[in-house]
Amino acid sequence: MRDSITSKNRKITWFSIACLLGIWQMISGLISSEIIFPSPFSVFKGIGFIVRDDYFWISVLSTVKRGLLGILISMLAGCALGVFAGLKKGGRVFLRPYVSLIRTTPVVVLILIALIWMSADFVPVFISFLISFPIIYTNTVQGMLNVDKSLVDMAKVYRVSKSRILREIYLPSISSYLTAGVSTAMGIGWKAVIAAEILSQPKYSIGTRLIEAKIYLEIDRVFAWALVAVALSFIFDNLVRIVEKRTVKWKTMA
């Protein structure tokens, strides 16, 4: 039964993609200008061209490295401060203005400020961190606040060590919130990283290749690089979902 549902969902997904390509081809045919709106065929040819480029893999891997580094730093800071704020109400109140400030400041303003302070290579890392941190911090705090207090009180009555309470009660509670936060941060983070690369233009990056293609009016390659960015986001989003499923199994077995 489950295989049947999965097979049906897969067919619907492929049908949806086919519809998208059909609409894309129809709009491209109506506009009839490859410079303004290239056809799917031209874009797929563009993908073939950029993949054969000597700088393709180094550009993709450099963007991946910057994005993952920013998210990793935000995970470490978001988890540490989120656990602290979840345990101490005063800490939560103290950190609230800083988190609100980061969350509400427009991304482009953050990029422009970062460009003044940092090298082109580090700007996307910094932006990835700033975009991901409030999401991971907020989810961690939410997970901490939803811990069953009666379990914590009972553990204290039996004089269970603080490290064991954190490991066996708090950690399973925040794990699903954390993976959900990382999944959301991944989706938004890649867009922010590539936007930062477009403005800072490090030597090897998807953002730099995008802006170069735009300058030379190679619109098919602009679309091709955009599809590469979408594919990256899709791959990492699915990796996080796999981790999320394993986390749920681990919580069930715990």
Side-chain angles (χ1 to χ4, degrees), residues 6-25:
T6 305
S7 174
K8 186 180 177 184
N9 288 344
R10 197 174 290 134
K11 285 177 183 173
I12 293 173
T13 302
W14 282 112
F15 178 68
S16 174
I17 293 170
C19 287
L20 177 65
L21 290 173
I23 294 168
W24 180 356
Q25 178 62 49

Side-chain angles (χ1 to χ4, degrees), residues 47-63:
I47 290 175
F49 183 86
I50 64 172
V51 168
R52 290 194 299 273
D53 188 283
D54 293 340
Y55 298 114
F56 175 77
W57 287 111
I58 191 170
S59 298
V60 172
L61 292 176
S62 297
T63 295

Side-chain angles (χ1 to χ4, degrees), residues 237-247:
D237 184 57
N238 276 281
L239 286 175
V240 172
R241 285 177 193 279
I242 291 170
V243 173
E244 193 173 4
K245 283 180 184 174
R246 293 194 174 182
T247 303

Side-chain angles (χ1 to χ4, degrees), residues 100-227:
S100 297
L101 181 67
I102 296 171
R103 184 187 288 128
T104 54
T105 305
V107 177
V108 69
V109 174
L110 295 172
I111 296 172
L112 290 175
I113 293 171
L115 281 169
I116 298 168
W117 293 343
M118 302 170 185
S119 67
D121 276 316
F122 200 71
V123 170
V125 179
F126 184 63
I127 295 303
S128 174
F129 162 71
L130 288 181
I131 295 301
S132 305
F133 171 75
I135 300 169
I136 294 172
Y137 167 82
T138 304
N139 279 37
T140 305
V141 172
Q142 197 63 42
M144 292 292 290
L145 295 179
N146 281 324
V147 168
D148 188 345
K149 300 299 179 193
S150 61
L151 277 178
V152 178
D153 292 339
M154 187 171 68
K156 285 179 180 175
V157 168
Y158 284 99
R159 296 183 180 178
V160 178
S161 66
K162 288 182 179 177
S163 62
R164 194 175 167 194
I165 292 175
L166 189 64
R167 192 174 63 250
E168 296 185 9
I169 298 178
Y170 281 107
L171 188 58
S173 175
I174 66 171
S175 57
S176 55
Y177 289 89
L178 183 60
T179 48
V182 172
S183 178
T184 307
M186 282 273 186
I188 301 173
W190 288 118
K191 296 172 191 171
V193 166
I194 291 172
E197 287 179 343
I198 287 173
L199 289 177
S200 62
Q201 295 187 32
K203 188 173 180 181
Y204 301 114
S205 72
I206 290 178
T208 304
R209 301 285 88 80
L210 264 167
I211 199 69
E212 285 176 356
K214 185 257 179 187
I215 289 169
Y216 294 110
L217 291 178
E218 296 168 337
I219 309 303
D220 55 335
R221 291 175 203 179
V222 172
F223 276 65
W225 277 111
L227 286 180

